[in-house]
């Protein structure tokens, strides 16, 4: 089947919907939130976030504002798996999706040629979006590597400063690295603290602070959970 847009609308059919996708579709949250489950993948989407549901995948969608969503239904050969995305830094993608919804809202027949060309442009923008997201994950890793020793470094505040919703970033980070940003940060801190303790020149409190963890008790619990022994031993 040739790739192309089947239908697009400036809203979503209902607040709650579940079933099996007859055709692949994309939903973009413009306002409010959406809980989306695609197979075993669960996503919390906020304003500017979106998700793609492939054809024949089971899904559940719970929206707070169905009228504040864009939905575009595709025949897409390029995407076989579900994925999330954000238009926070990709105005081109948002404009294309918005244009598709407006085009179909006019009630006029849309030619197959226009559907195909518009589909190709959206696919290109989605791929560009994916590259930018990978760059963001790389930037997060670099920042955590550079700042994990800082006691006052707040991971949640840092994620909030980025042009994507924190929940989306956590899920994307875990998808690409196998662990959450917090788990990555904690692993860096504990590994560094263990190296300090192994020198015999640092006590638990000193190693905890030097690795960016201000609470020695919390540090000890995390250390024992990871290494199976108290940092004092």
């Amino acid at each position: 089947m040739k790739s192309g847009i089947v239908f697009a609308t400036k809203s979503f059919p209902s607040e709650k919907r579940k079933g099996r996708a007859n055709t692949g579709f994309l939903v973009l949250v413009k306002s409010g939130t959406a809980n989306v489950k695609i197979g075993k993948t669960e996503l919390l989407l906020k304003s500017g976030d979106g998700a793609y549901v492939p054809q024949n995948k089971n899904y559940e969608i719970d929206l707070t504002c169905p009228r504040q969503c864009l939905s575009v239904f595709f025949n897409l050969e390029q995407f076989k798996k579900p994925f999330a995305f954000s238009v926070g830094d990709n105005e081109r993608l948002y404009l294309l999706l918005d244009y598709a919804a407006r085009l179909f809202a006019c009630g006029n027949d849309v030619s197959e040629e226009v559907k195909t060309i518009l589909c190709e442009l959206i696919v290109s923008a989605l791929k560009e979006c994916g590259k930018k997201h990978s760059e963001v994950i790389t930037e997060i890793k670099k920042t955590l590597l550079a700042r994990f020793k800082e006691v006052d470094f707040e991971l949640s505040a840092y994620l909030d400063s980025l042009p994507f919703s924190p929940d989306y970033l956590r899920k994307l980070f875990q998808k690409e690295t196998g662990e959450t940003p917090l788990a990555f940060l904690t692993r860096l801190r504990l590994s560094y603290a263990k190296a300090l303790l192994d020198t015999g020149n640092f006590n638990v409190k000193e190693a905890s602070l030097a690795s960016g963890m201000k609470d020695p008790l919390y540090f000890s619990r995390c250390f024992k959970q990871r290494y199976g022994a108290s940092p004092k031993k």
Side-chain angles (χ1 to χ4, degrees):
M1 184 180 293
K2 190 175 182 180
S3 294
I5 294 177
V6 177
F7 182 69
T9 174
K10 291 190 288 184
S11 63
F12 198 73
S14 60
E15 290 183 5
K16 294 184 179 182
R17 192 179 181 92
K18 67 178 181 178
R20 191 176 182 87
N22 294 323
T23 184
F25 69 88
L26 174 156
V27 58
L28 171 68
V29 178
K30 296 175 65 178
S31 178
T33 60
N35 290 299
V36 179
K37 184 177 181 181
I38 310 168
K40 295 182 179 180
T41 302
E42 295 187 20
L43 300 167
L44 172 62
L45 306 181
K46 298 181 181 179
S47 178
D49 295 340
Y52 176 71
V53 181
Q55 186 178 17
N56 296 324
K57 278 286 186 181
N58 292 323
Y59 69 91
E60 295 182 26
I61 296 180
D62 187 353
L63 302 165
T64 58
C65 300
R67 293 184 180 180
Q68 289 297 319
C69 291
L70 291 174
S71 49
V72 182
F73 296 80
F74 297 94
N75 288 318
L76 284 181
E77 297 178 353
Q78 294 90 339
F79 303 123
K80 304 294 185 182
K81 296 181 180 180
F83 61 85
F85 64 92
S86 175
V87 297
D89 67 338
N90 195 326
E91 184 180 9
R92 175 171 169 255
L93 176 58
Y94 174 77
L95 291 175
L96 285 168
L97 297 174
D98 186 64
Y99 175 71
R102 291 175 184 275
L103 186 66
F104 280 83
C106 293
N108 299 323
D109 289 336
V110 181
S111 70
E112 292 303 318
E113 182 181 6
V114 170
K115 290 179 182 179
T116 300
I117 292 173
L118 190 52
C119 180
E120 290 173 351
L121 291 172
I122 290 174
V123 168
S124 174
L126 283 168
K127 289 181 177 179
E128 177 186 336
C129 193
K131 290 180 181 178
K132 289 185 177 181
H133 293 185
S134 294
E135 292 172 0
V136 169
I137 297 305
T138 299
E139 186 60 34
I140 291 174
K141 290 171 70 175
K142 287 181 179 179
T143 299
L144 297 184
L145 283 165
R147 302 188 61 184
F148 75 88
K149 299 177 191 175
E150 299 177 21
V151 174
D152 295 326
F153 176 69
E154 292 289 343
L155 178 60
S156 58
Y158 169 63
L159 294 178
D160 282 338
S161 72
L162 298 174
F164 303 95
S165 73
D167 185 70
Y168 172 74
L169 285 174
R170 290 185 189 98
K171 291 184 181 297
L172 184 63
F173 191 96
Q174 186 167 19
K175 179 181 177 181
E176 294 206 10
T177 68
E179 57 187 344
T180 65
L182 178 59
F184 181 83
L185 177 61
T186 302
R187 179 167 59 81
L188 288 176
R189 286 173 163 170
L190 292 176
S191 178
Y192 183 69
K194 186 175 185 302
L196 296 180
L197 290 169
D198 286 346
T199 66
N201 298 322
F202 292 79
N203 60 35
V204 172
K205 184 177 181 179
E206 291 169 339
S208 173
L209 292 173
S211 61
M213 302 179 77
K214 64 177 69 177
D215 185 349
L217 292 177
Y218 174 70
F219 164 75
S220 295
R221 287 198 300 270
C222 292
F223 190 97
K224 186 173 183 179
Q225 184 178 19
R226 180 166 183 81
Y227 297 110
S230 168
K232 294 180 180 180
K233 296 181 179 180

